[in-house]
Amino acid sequence: MMSGRLDADQARLAATRFYNPHLRQESDEKLLKQAKYEALGLSMPERQRRQNDRQEIASDEAVMERFKKRMKR
């Protein structure tokens, strides 16, 4: 019988079952890189954060320009 607690991998898979726009999932490439570092007994180097680490949102003007170009096709 399984215990009530989930390990990190099971929790990540359970979290991705439903769409959550605020949940950032790590790419497979990053997960493989992290696994290689752990196998070698090293800690993962810290990621340098950008000045503004948030999702970029297009302005209304840019969206309208893309829409107009699409409608011309």
Side-chain angles (χ1 to χ4, degrees):
M1 177 124 190
M2 293 187 64
S3 65
R5 309 281 284 158
L6 297 175
D7 67 355
D9 289 334
Q10 290 173 334
R12 183 177 59 83
L13 290 173
T16 58
R17 183 173 180 192
F18 300 103
Y19 175 70
N20 184 349
H22 303 291
L23 180 66
R24 290 206 180 255
Q25 288 298 312
E26 296 180 5
S27 68
D28 289 341
E29 178 184 357
K30 185 172 182 180
L31 291 172
L32 287 172
K33 188 175 184 179
Q34 183 179 1
K36 286 179 184 178
Y37 273 97
E38 288 176 6
L40 294 172
L42 302 172
S43 62
M44 187 83 170
E46 289 296 319
R47 180 182 92 135
Q48 293 181 356
R49 290 178 104 29
R50 291 183 289 166
Q51 181 78 12
N52 192 358
D53 195 19
R54 64 176 184 173
Q55 287 183 339
E56 295 181 18
I57 300 173
S59 66
D60 291 339
E61 295 86 25
V63 171
M64 278 307 294
E65 290 301 317
R66 285 198 305 266
F67 177 74
K68 288 176 184 176
K69 286 180 183 179
R70 222 178 4 241
M71 296 311 289
K72 286 182 181 179
R73 292 185 203 169

